[in-house]
Amino acid sequence: MNEALCNYECCFQCGIPVTSPEMIGQQCKLCLEDMPYFDETYCLGFYNGKLQNALHQLKYQKRLSYAHGLTSIWNDVMPEHLNVLQADYLLPVPLSAEKLWLRGFNQSWELARRIKCKDSIHKMPYILKRRHHQKPQAGSSLSIRQSNIRGAFYLEKDALALLKNKSVIVFDDVMTSGATLDEIARILKDNGVSRVTNWVLLRTSKTSVR
């Protein structure tokens, strides 16, 4: 976890802040009690911090120039933390076809395609797909979010052989409860992926909402 912008210690698995000194570099209580499918999480900063407005300008005002600014910060700050990471593919969290049509772009991909990573990590924006559903996530509990998101993602059949026994990075703009990223990791591991790492621009607390 980057501390240059966040200035907090975190659970290595889900990226949630931890306050107890004995927990630093370990798993939080929630990850210990209900182990997620993903293996680790790296985040640039807090959702309610300095970069929140810039992300809102990108997502809701459709100002794509903010993708350049946000990823410039990522590229300046994060590589020293990620250079040792071994992975084969980077997949952005997808939007459903309906949501993509309404917004006009996938903000996670607009960010992911601009970030710097090793040449050995191949960016694959189209092999992870999302089905459309109408159930709102904002303000929902973790259990409801998990129930709502179950079965929302699937993989292109042609990609299954590529992913077998590979290490995959999943990139998202915001991590809230972790339910979306956990469901994606479940799908990936059910289809033979060996390790799933989250790269996230901004992280909220477990109780925060978008």
Side-chain angles (χ1 to χ4, degrees):
M1 170 73 70
N2 164 50
E3 296 175 25
L5 295 177
C6 304
N7 193 31
Y8 68 88
E9 299 286 357
C10 64
C11 168
F12 77 84
Q13 191 159 21
C14 75
I16 199 70
V18 295
T19 55
S20 301
E22 64 271 15
M23 289 297 297
I24 292 174
Q26 300 182 35
Q27 292 166 296
C28 67
K29 183 178 179 181
L30 285 174
C31 285
L32 288 169
E33 292 178 349
D34 186 13
M35 185 81 70
Y37 287 93
F38 51 76
D39 298 284
E40 57 183 341
T41 299
Y42 294 88
C43 308
L44 178 63
F46 272 139
Y47 181 68
N48 59 353
K50 301 175 183 178
L51 302 182
Q52 179 182 352
N53 180 64
L55 182 58
H56 282 189
Q57 290 293 322
L58 169 63
K59 290 178 69 171
Y60 306 121
Q61 302 303 318
K62 302 183 179 181
R63 300 178 68 177
L64 286 172
S65 60
Y66 278 82
H68 294 283
L70 288 165
T71 51
S72 292
I73 297 171
W74 177 286
N75 290 333
D76 286 343
V77 173
M78 296 300 284
E80 63 183 282
H81 302 275
L82 306 179
N83 281 340
V84 297
L85 180 66
Q86 300 296 322
D88 300 287
Y89 298 106
L90 188 154
L91 315 180
V93 171
L95 298 179
S96 67
E98 292 85 350
K99 188 69 173 287
L100 184 61
W101 182 84
L102 287 171
R103 180 165 292 169
F105 61 92
N106 178 358
Q107 72 280 354
S108 292
W109 173 236
E110 291 301 322
L111 293 165
R113 72 186 185 93
R114 291 173 169 87
I115 64 174
K116 295 177 182 177
C117 57
K118 294 178 180 178
D119 292 340
S120 59
I121 300 175
H122 303 287
K123 296 179 181 180
M124 306 286 282
Y126 305 118
I127 65 176
L128 179 63
K129 304 290 188 180
R130 183 169 189 161
R131 299 181 177 91
H132 186 63
H133 65 89
Q134 298 292 338
K135 295 178 180 178
Q137 292 280 79
S140 301
S141 67
L142 175 58
S143 60
I144 292 175
R145 284 173 178 265
Q146 289 172 325
S147 176
N148 286 348
I149 207 71
R150 186 80 174 184
F153 300 96
Y154 63 98
L155 293 163
E156 287 283 3
K157 291 183 179 179
D158 292 344
L160 298 182
L162 293 175
L163 297 174
K164 192 73 172 178
N165 297 320
K166 300 297 185 182
S167 177
V168 171
I169 298 164
V170 178
F171 188 94
D172 204 2
D173 61 321
V174 176
M175 184 176 183
T176 307
S177 67
T180 295
L181 289 166
D182 195 39
E183 176 65 7
I184 290 173
R186 184 186 72 82
I187 294 297
L188 290 171
K189 289 194 171 180
D190 282 353
N191 284 279
V193 170
S194 61
R195 185 173 182 83
V196 178
T197 300
N198 300 324
W199 285 4
V200 179
L201 188 74
L202 301 179
R203 178 69 161 101
T204 72
S205 71
K206 293 276 188 187
T207 55
S208 295
V209 297
R210 293 184 190 224

